[in-house]
Amino acid sequence: MKFFRLIIAALLAGAGGAATAETASLNSFGMPGLLDMPSGEAAPDAQFSITSGGFAGTYRNSMTFQISPRLTGSFRYTMIGGWTVGPLTTYLDRSFDIHYRLTEEGRYMPAIAVGLRDFIGTGIYSGEYLVATKHLTQNLKVTVGLGWGRLGSYNGFRNPLASIHPGFATRTGGAGLGGTPRLGNWFRGDAAFFGGIEWQSPNPRLSFKVEYSSDAYTREIGTHSIFVHRSPVNFGVDYRLSERTRLSGYYMYGSELGFRVTMALNPKNSPIGGSLEGAPAPVFVRPGPGEEGYELRDRTDWAGQSEWSHSLRDNLQAALAADRIIILSAGFTATRVEVRIRNEIYGSAAQAIGRVARMMSRVLPLSVETFVVTIVEAGMPVVSATIQRSDLEALENDPDAANAMLARVKLTDPVRMQGDIVRADGIYPQLKWRIGPYLRYSAFDPDNPLRADVGIRVQGKYDIAPGLSVSGSLTQKVVGNMNTVTRLSSSALPHVRSDYGFYDKADLALEYLTADYLFRPGRNLYGRISLGYLERMYAGVSAELLWKPVNSRFALGAEVNYVAQRAFDLGFGVQSYQIATGHISAYLDMRNGYTAQVDVGRYLAGDLGATFTVDREFANGWIVGAFFTLTDVPFATYGEGSFDKGIRLRIPLSWTSGKPSKAGTLSVIRPLSRDGGARLEIRNRLYETVRRNHRSRLEPAWGRFWR
Amino acid sequence: MGEVLALRGFSAFIGAFAALTIVGCSSDNNPTPIQDSLIAAIREFGKEPDTQANRRAVEALTREQLTGVGSNPTILVDVEVADAYASLFQISLNGQHDVFMTADQVTVTFSKGLLTATRGIGADLYSADVSQTRAAIQGGASGVVATARVHRSLSGDNQVIAIRYECSLVDHGVEPVVSIHKTFRLRRYVETCRFDGDEVFANTYWVDPVTRVMWKSRQWVSPLAGYFGIDVLIPGKS
């Protein structure tokens, strides 16, 4: 009996995957396709995949995301052994692809897609295509396409688009600094046909592919003599190792053997098949008219009596201890009770609200009809959920309980508490600390594509009063090679980020040490002031103001900072470089899980410009997004990459473990770290802290209210 | 080389991330649920859970011993997919719904014996609208009755997914049935449910022909959790 839950959980942990992720057929660039060539298909919506493989010393590692049912995006890191540039014998290249499915396959209609390969890299793989794929039988599909650029380099002919405009006939060479979309080259120059066949064998694990490639690998076989191109026909076999993983082997261009591993997962499907925390307490239903105890609803003599208020608060806190919900304060009247809570583990605030409300029904006197659950985040009350007790009683077993409850609950900006107020003791002041391991890594340096440090991190936070705290983090490196960066920055801008190698030489590092005050300056307003060693490279002061109504999909913010660059030893010293930076930010929840953010202002190198961010956000906490920053720094001054850009990724720990947790940090992956368009890294910016408790985040995951 | 790098990168990313969050010590005395399960996993590592211990214990006892001195509604649930067996006691009554709970905080909700929800098993049944089936059985259906039921589940992305099943409830007549050392004469109903034309599950209910109490049943929970076999010692209060 004790293991009832564990046994089922263990079982599902194994079984969950089987019923979930689909692995779409991807090509060697990690995009929907055959071997090197693309297809007209798309991966299942939201699929996130990693592919890694190569042939003839060329290795491609891609991270691909099905951004919407039609749009696929990919970031790739390529290593080409034998492609010599100066002293380097391996060429390292980052590139982005985008693929848009124009039509879905129908009875007669093929799936048709248009795509841009390597459209903002240095452009060694640059090519565009229009491609169609159609199933002839259930197990056999055929792909035919027309390619330009690299995809028009084998057996190419005069661009048919040239008949529309002669400018399409020629394509200019030269990759330059990379990083910019080279619009002027798209669909220009010679074109060529490509195509292929994919056959799903009767064994569901095995499928076979053959393709005719229109990529001549001109520079690989010419200038760099990396391999010999004997034939445009490639052969491949895919073996489905598991639902998530595929192994592929292929014979390329009549001369080379290759391999690939593809791993795909879908944020929409939990690997556990559900969440594993214990059941919530059921609602206690008050006796109805005519039932024994009904008259207790009229008993209100407890209200206003301090010992009653204290004992009710104590009972409720005891009942919620297992849910790690802390009651900071509570206000009691005969018919309405508000509790202000800190939610420590539930990634979904709706779940925390639901659990508190149900427990209130079990603890509070029968005269209380209105429950108000107010969530306090970082010391600031951010949302009040007002729930009628009779709705809880009536809707608990409603088949459509989630929607029915959502329609009845009121979400508002918290206001002053009413009635007899009880505040928790021992919340302030309080010291919290933790000691644990840490990992730091850097990728994509041409000298060493992957560097990492491992060591011990000590973190502390001293809560002085609501919203007011002092925090610090210290790391001691134990082992690693992050200190081996030898590449000196040649940036023409102030070296606001590009001297990162010097900072990584510090073994004992003060990561941050700040005094922070987060507060509510007024209705719908949130404020933050931070002072101290804000991040690894900067110290100073930062102030922020955010306007964000609880039920609004729109928010505005402003931030100003005055900082000095920190000394390379990551101690208490600073260097002479000082700068005032600041941004005005607009945030929009575009519904259906897409969010946009624009930040306009002054960056660390004194450059003026704007950052554009689009995220796809899942109701379970996954975020996959991308951003770019354009400033008044000319691309030539910025250097390699032309401007700052990158990918944002958050994988919540609760998704992988099935256990409630708020953990899961947003990782930013930049192909390059340079000085233009660089912003200060602030740990506790207001928007995310606030919005995760507001309607636009509560609603999509409202099903959690009853969980 | 490329392969190894990316594979390591990926698993190291997830692994290191998990480790960094879980490992270490802190001022917080209460372990988080994730730490809890990690500790439990370490403690139980290598041990085969004795899934049949409960069943043996139950079979060794009489009905009177099982119900003990109280009269609190009690049921026994056989989780076929996990080969596990648990006893549950009623902890709540809300109108027509009885909530039963195991000792380790799994709850199962019934309406007149029909399963309407589970919580805490992972692949939970979020809710089931069984009003048509309930009306048919409580009304003493005979022959073949067409029913429809809507099952809801919570997806990995926290979306409530509703599936409507078209079912047929067939009365197979009264037959002798053994439930926990006692032979009953009960009417057997089989409810076969289809989605999009394909049969998905078939529930079996054994119901007292007079009182309409469902003493025994085998009911489908979800694709991953499969069927629950349910024996009622003391029926719920609804």
Side-chain angles (χ1 to χ4, degrees), chain A residues 193-239:
Chain A
F193 286 112
F194 62 86
I197 295 170
E198 187 178 346
W199 180 61
Q200 173 63 54
S201 79
N203 178 344
R205 289 181 181 273
L206 272 180
S207 62
F208 297 88
K209 295 169 173 180
V210 57
E211 74 172 11
Y212 172 87
S213 167
S214 60
D215 184 346
Y217 279 80
T218 314
R219 284 198 275 179
E220 281 89 340
I221 60 170
T223 326
H224 303 290
S225 309
I226 293 167
F227 72 100
V228 182
H229 186 291
R230 290 207 175 91
S231 157
V233 181
N234 301 325
F235 302 90
V237 55
D238 268 12
Y239 179 75

Side-chain angles (χ1 to χ4, degrees), chain A residues 91-95 118-126 174-180 182 219 640-641:
Chain A
Y91 189 78
L92 300 166
D93 187 63
R94 286 141 292 207
S95 52
D118 192 3
F119 73 112
I120 41 175
T122 46
I124 65 158
Y125 283 126
S126 276
L177 295 163
T180 49
R182 298 191 305 144
R219 284 198 275 179
E640 191 187 348

Side-chain angles (χ1 to χ4, degrees), chain A residues 601-619:
Chain A
R602 188 175 194 223
Y603 293 81
L604 282 169
D607 44 340
L608 301 171
T611 301
F612 302 86
T613 307
V614 173
D615 285 340
R616 179 154 182 197
E617 184 182 270
F618 296 83

